[in-house]
Amino acid sequence: MHPGAVALAVSSLIVLGAGPAAPSPPLPARMAHTGGGTQLITAVAPKPASTTGTVTWWDREDGRWVKRGSAPARFGANGLVAGATRKQGTNTTPTGLYGLPYAFGIKAAPRGTAYTYRRVHRDSWWCQDNDSRSYNRWSEPRAADCRAAESEHLITYSAQYAHALVIGFNYARPVRGRGAGIFLHVDGRGATAGCVSVPEKAMRRILVWADPARRPHIAVGTRSGSTAVTRL
């Protein structure tokens, strides 16, 4: 056989043997932990300094994760940092895996919302005062020991808090000075003060999709590095 024919035959065998590359597993399948439920939201930024990224919501069905939707996301004006070491007032979004205790909003809940949904009134506040017993809690009316200057008057954020989900960062056992009032909410004019935001249409879709009986969590992180979402 001519040497060129031999080379061609070997090359053909290599090509035939290689076959198509296996598809990459979905993002939740590459994570260390997803919270133990069958629904998950991932909020991923390219790198720690990023202020934009993507929110995706997933269902676990028949042993595999299925993407249900996605939307562009915004993060803190100063990027993302590890939730365990975050400091309050830094305009950073805490990375980590968190529960979603309840939803709230200035507007009525979208039809089909299963989550507990709390309507915002004129005396609804989120206490961020480190000296208050109501630290990192909804306060209605504002608690006497919670200073207005150290809290969010929820109704004044008409765009952002049209609809929102509480992110359980520093929530179960609040550590003073770590941060309060971290939500998944509707976009404002730009980057957030530490929350994760999405367009209003996407926020409404998420609220209709989310089923508390399926124990959804949110995983916030970056594509790579020490704050990578795959390390959660």
Side-chain angles (χ1 to χ4, degrees):
M1 182 180 290
H2 190 278
V6 173
L8 180 60
V10 171
S11 176
S12 298
L13 286 173
I14 292 173
V15 171
L16 290 173
S24 177
L27 178 57
R30 291 181 274 125
M31 292 172 53
H33 202 336
T34 57
T38 57
Q39 285 190 327
L40 181 70
I41 299 171
T42 54
V44 183
K47 54 188 178 181
S50 300
T51 59
T52 61
T54 304
V55 159
T56 307
W57 47 106
W58 310 79
D59 283 325
R60 187 164 178 80
E61 296 180 351
D62 299 324
R64 63 190 185 95
W65 287 99
V66 179
K67 178 180 175 180
R68 291 302 183 206
S70 65
R74 293 173 178 169
F75 299 96
N78 289 322
L80 299 86
V81 297
T85 57
R86 181 185 185 268
K87 293 183 179 180
Q88 186 165 325
T90 55
N91 288 343
T92 54
T93 297
T95 64
L97 180 66
Y98 306 107
L100 299 162
Y102 62 91
F104 69 90
I106 295 171
K107 295 182 179 181
R111 186 184 298 275
T113 299
Y115 246 84
T116 297
Y117 189 91
R118 192 166 188 176
R119 288 297 295 276
V120 173
H121 303 111
R122 294 205 171 272
D123 57 352
S124 303
W125 295 74
W126 195 276
C127 184
Q128 299 180 351
D129 189 336
N130 283 283
D131 296 325
S132 174
R133 289 173 293 180
S134 300
Y135 178 67
N136 203 19
R137 288 292 185 273
W138 182 294
S139 185
E140 186 178 325
R142 180 171 51 84
D145 69 344
C146 186
R147 293 168 290 175
E150 299 293 328
S151 303
E152 281 194 346
H153 192 196
L154 299 178
I155 204 164
T156 63
Y157 297 88
S158 57
Q160 294 93 325
Y161 297 156
H163 303 292
L165 270 166
V166 176
I167 294 177
F169 166 72
N170 201 30
Y171 189 78
R173 297 179 180 177
V175 175
R176 310 288 166 155
R178 182 146 298 162
I182 300 298
F183 312 125
L184 173 62
H185 64 66
V186 175
D187 282 339
R189 293 182 178 179
T192 73
C195 295
V196 180
S197 73
V198 293
E200 183 171 358
K201 183 177 180 180
M203 191 69 231
R204 292 176 66 87
R205 288 178 62 195
I206 290 169
L207 286 173
V208 174
W209 159 85
D211 181 355
R214 299 183 66 179
R215 296 182 295 151
H217 287 68
I218 184 168
V220 183
T222 54
R223 289 180 187 166
S224 60
S226 62
T227 53
V229 72
T230 51
R231 300 183 65 173
L232 301 179

